Every structure is written in C-alpha cells, then in structure tokens.
C-alpha cells in the first residue's frame, strides 16, 4: 500500500491471475469553494486459469476538473470597469462607428456564479481481450461516461420573455459561468492488433458511440437563457461511427511503407434563424421546435501514406580500425492520398444562401519530401 499527494493505492494479487487496484484521490481547488471532492477509483484484470489466452479488464472511477484560468481572467477583466464591451446593431463597413441602428453604452460583464461546483466525470469500463494466435489479438470494450456539474454560461440579464426589459438596467449582458451542464456518453470499442501475412503489421480500431450534453463550452450561451430544455442534444464531437487503422508494410530492398486510415461519420451542427429574435445581442436563436445540434454533416475519410528508403553509410575512424554504421533515409509523405474532399463545417444559418452546405474543408492531397541522416556513436 502506498500514499502520496493525497492518493492512496492498494494492490492485491491472487495466483497471478487476478489483479485488483483501489485508489482514492482528493482534489483541493482554490478557484472554487467546493471542498468535498473525493474521487475513488477501482480497476481489475482477470485471466481465467483454463483460458490463459483471455483477459478480462474493467474499472470505474470519478475524475474532477478545475475551473479554467481563462474563466477567472474574464471575470476580473470584463467587470464593466477595466474593459468595456460595445454592441452595435447593424454596423457599417469598414467603420462600424459611422452608422448603426443602436450603440449600447451599457457595460457587459462576465461573472462566476456564487457557489459554483467542481465538475467531475464518472467513468466505468469493461473489456475482454482474446489472443487468437501468436500474431493476432482481439479486444472488445464497453465504456460509460457521465459528466456532472459541467461549466457553461448563461446571460442572466437577457431581456425578459415578451418584453425588452432587462433584470438589471445598469448592464447590457451579464454572462454568468455556472456548473449546471451535464454529459452522457456510451462507447463500444473493438480493436485488432496483429500481423497479416509476412509483411503487413496493422492495428485497427472501430468505435460506436453516442454522446449527449447540453452545452458547447464554458463560454457559450444558450439560445434561450430562460428555458434551457432545447440545449440538450448531440455533443459537438458526437461522431457515431469511427474507424482507424495504422500499419507498416515491410518491402524488399530496404523500402518501408506506413499508412494511417481514418474514417468517421458526420458531426452534428446547430440550425439557427440567423437573427437575434429575443434581443439578447446574440444571433443564435433557433426555429420553434428545433433543439441544439439537430443537423448532421457528412462523413470523412482520409488516408496518409509514408514511403521511406534506408541506406547504410559506413564511416571508418581511427586509421581504419573502427567503423561506424550510420543511416541515411529518404522519406515521402502523402497526406490525404485519396484527395477526398472532407468537409469540416456546415452552415446552419437558415438566412444564409449556403444553409446546409459546407464552408470549410480539410486540406487536399499534400506531398512532402524529407531526408534524415542518423549518426551512430
């Protein structure tokens, strides 16, 4: 048993077939007044005595997070006195101050909610690894995640519904950072590591997952600051299907090829009207009945390939008595070898002529040449 930095761990082994690990961590954070942050952890690995080619692993634990430094900095700077924010409706271009329907002289602030809690992630997993033969291993793992007291912002000074009146007439926006968001996630991961034939050594992984939350970051504000029910939806990074494979192909005459293949289903995107319908100075309002991240983009696929050739360079030293065998490598990297157009962002603004279409794409095929010389001592 050992204890260090507030972490206690105890390990038990029974006949080298069962390993149990227990832990307890305590997090003290000076950025919040929450002091009850005990995080227990547990993990095990078990190999059945008559099936030594099979290993069962699992574990569960709680993991706390900190309030980011940027949140503290913004709450100190954007206090209505040190830095002021000016909101101009319908500004002109290039000088936004030469015209505009309205220039608000009221200050906007960023605040940290009183009694804010430390966010934590509860996690549990169970997996089975099976040795198919001396060259191949197959692993299946199920993971469950639950995030509690996650950070998000809410404008507590937005105009009251049905009126243009703000609760505090001395300020424009009061964006309050709260610990009121959540996250639910499940994932099934299947991995294969082995060797195919004499020359190909691959590692492949398929992930089927689903992640739901009700925020898009610490500083993002909801479409309706007084009704947060429509914020529950797919997470911004909720790709349901993902497949990744890396491999090395050994070729004759010192040539070697490495490849990385990444395939993913589409990510969600938010559908908005494109206007500030509720007069809270943020044009993120959605049509009635539309929840956050309702749209879904297209999938992506990218293949990166590296081809290298190694040459041996013999250096003779000390009058021919000592030799050093250096290496000289020529390398060619091809990124996005299939030259596929992978869209990265979909326009969700219904007022835009590009609604439902992509406006950002990943780079096209790129070829890179390099050389490397390695000295041996």
């Amino acid at each position: 048993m050992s204890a260090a930095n507030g972490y206690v761990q105890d390990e038990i082994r029974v006949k080298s077939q069962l390993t149990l690990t227990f832990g307890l961590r305590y997090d003290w954070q000076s950025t919040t007044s929450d002091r009850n942050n005990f995080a227990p952890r547990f993990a095990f690995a078990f190999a059945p005595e008559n099936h030594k080619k099979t290993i069962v692993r699992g574990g569960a634990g709680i993991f706390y997070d900190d309030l980011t430094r940027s949140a503290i900095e913004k709450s100190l700077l954007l206090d209505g006195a040190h830095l002021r924010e000016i909101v101009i409706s319908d500004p002109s271009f290039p000088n936004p101050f030469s015209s505009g329907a309205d220039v608000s002289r009221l200050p906007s602030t960023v605040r940290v909610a009183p009694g804010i809690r430390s966010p934590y992630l509860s996690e549990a997993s169970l997996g089975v690894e099976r040795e198919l033969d001396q060259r191949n291993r197959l692993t299946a793992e199920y993971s469950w995640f639950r995030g509690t007291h996650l950070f998000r912002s809410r404008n507590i000074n937005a105009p009251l519904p049905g009126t243009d009146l703000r609760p505090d007439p001395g300020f424009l926006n009061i964006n309050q950072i709260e610990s009121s968001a959540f996250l639910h996630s499940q994932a099934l991961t299947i991995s294969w590591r082995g060797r195919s034939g004499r020359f190909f050594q691959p590692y492949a992984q398929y992930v089927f997952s689903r992640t739901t939350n009700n925020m898009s970051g610490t500083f993002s504000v909801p479409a309706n600051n007084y009704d947060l029910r429509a914020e529950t939806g797919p997470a911004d990074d909720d790709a349901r299907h993902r497949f990744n494979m890396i491999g090395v192909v050994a070729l004759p005459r010192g040539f070697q090829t490495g490849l990385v293949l990444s395939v993913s289903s589409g990510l969600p995107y938010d559908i908005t009207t494109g206007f500030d319908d509720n007069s809270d100075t943020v044009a993120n309002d959605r049509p009635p009945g539309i929840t956050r991240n309702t749209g879904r983009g297209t999938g992506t696929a990218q293949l990166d390939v590296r081809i290298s050739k190694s040459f041996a360079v013999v250096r003779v030293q000390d009058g021919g008595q000592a030799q050093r065998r250096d290496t000289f490598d020529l390398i060619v990297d091809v990124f996005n070898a299939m030259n596929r157009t992978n869209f990265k962002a979909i326009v969700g603004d219904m007022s835009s002529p590009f609604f439902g279409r992509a406006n950002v794409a990943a780079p096209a095929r790129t070829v890179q040449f390099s050389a490397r010389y390695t000295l041996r001592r």
Side-chain angles (χ1 to χ4, degrees), residues 67-326:
L67 181 63
T68 61
R69 180 179 299 177
S70 57
I72 302 299
E73 291 175 349
K74 285 191 175 185
S75 67
L76 295 176
L77 292 175
L78 296 175
D79 59 353
H82 292 87
L83 292 178
R84 296 179 67 93
E85 179 183 69
I86 297 177
V87 178
I88 304 176
S89 300
D90 299 326
S92 60
F93 180 82
N95 182 9
F97 295 94
S98 63
S99 66
D102 178 52
V103 178
S104 173
R105 300 299 181 184
L106 296 175
S108 294
T109 67
V110 174
R111 297 177 180 175
V112 176
I116 195 168
R117 301 285 301 276
S118 298
Y120 63 90
L121 183 69
S122 304
E123 177 182 349
S125 63
L126 179 65
V128 178
E129 179 180 326
R130 174 69 177 178
E131 181 182 339
L132 304 178
D133 53 43
Q134 294 182 350
R135 296 182 174 183
N136 297 276
R137 292 177 177 270
L138 185 66
T139 304
E141 181 180 22
Y142 169 78
S143 302
W144 174 88
F145 305 90
R146 182 184 179 91
T148 307
H149 299 310
L150 303 185
F151 295 132
R152 67 175 171 190
S153 294
R154 184 170 63 92
N155 184 4
I156 61 175
N157 205 45
L160 297 171
T163 71
D164 290 330
L165 302 177
R166 296 178 181 269
D168 189 341
F171 290 90
L172 183 65
N173 297 324
I174 303 176
N175 290 341
Q176 180 172 271
I177 300 174
E178 303 175 341
S179 54
S180 58
F182 71 86
L183 176 145
H184 295 159
S185 180
Q186 300 181 72
L188 175 64
T189 303
I190 299 177
S191 306
W192 169 54
R193 182 193 302 272
R195 190 181 187 97
S196 179
R198 297 177 55 188
F199 305 105
F200 186 41
Q201 300 181 27
Y203 173 75
Q205 182 182 81
Y206 167 73
V207 181
F208 173 62
S209 64
R210 180 175 182 177
T211 303
T212 302
N213 61 10
N214 59 351
M215 56 85 187
S216 293
T218 301
F219 303 106
S220 64
V221 293
N224 186 345
N225 292 277
Y226 296 104
D227 187 357
L228 305 179
R229 291 175 296 180
E231 297 304 308
T232 299
D236 295 342
D237 57 353
D238 178 43
R240 299 293 172 84
H241 304 275
R242 285 171 291 166
F243 176 77
N244 299 285
M245 183 176 69
I246 59 176
V248 177
V249 181
L251 301 176
R253 299 183 180 275
F255 283 94
Q256 193 173 58
T257 300
L259 59 89
V260 178
L261 174 65
S262 300
V263 182
S264 174
S265 58
L267 295 174
Y269 64 91
D270 211 13
I271 297 178
T272 64
T273 62
F275 300 97
D276 181 16
D277 300 318
N278 55 8
S279 301
D280 63 355
T281 73
V282 182
N284 63 347
D285 302 83
R286 305 187 191 97
I290 300 297
T291 58
R292 176 175 151 271
N293 282 347
T294 300
R296 181 71 64 167
T298 58
T300 61
Q302 178 160 329
L303 175 65
D304 300 332
V305 179
R306 163 173 287 194
I307 302 174
S308 61
K309 166 68 174 177
S310 295
F311 300 90
V313 180
V314 179
R315 289 188 296 124
V316 180
Q317 297 177 339
D318 300 332
Q321 298 299 319
Q323 293 184 351
R324 297 291 186 269
R325 198 174 188 85
D326 300 341

Side-chain angles (χ1 to χ4, degrees), residues 26-89:
Y26 174 73
D27 284 273
W28 186 90
Q29 302 172 20
S30 60
T31 54
T32 68
S33 58
D34 187 5
R35 299 290 182 265
N36 189 27
N37 300 331
F38 291 93
R41 290 98 185 264
F42 164 75
F44 75 91
F46 174 66
E49 189 172 356
N50 354 353
H51 299 82
K52 295 189 179 296
K53 294 185 177 181
T54 302
I55 301 177
V56 180
R57 296 185 178 92
I62 295 178
F63 303 86
Y64 281 89
D65 199 0
D66 299 331
L67 181 63
T68 61
R69 180 179 299 177
S70 57
I72 302 299
E73 291 175 349
K74 285 191 175 185
S75 67
L76 295 176
L77 292 175
L78 296 175
D79 59 353
H82 292 87
L83 292 178
R84 296 179 67 93
E85 179 183 69
I86 297 177
V87 178
I88 304 176
S89 300

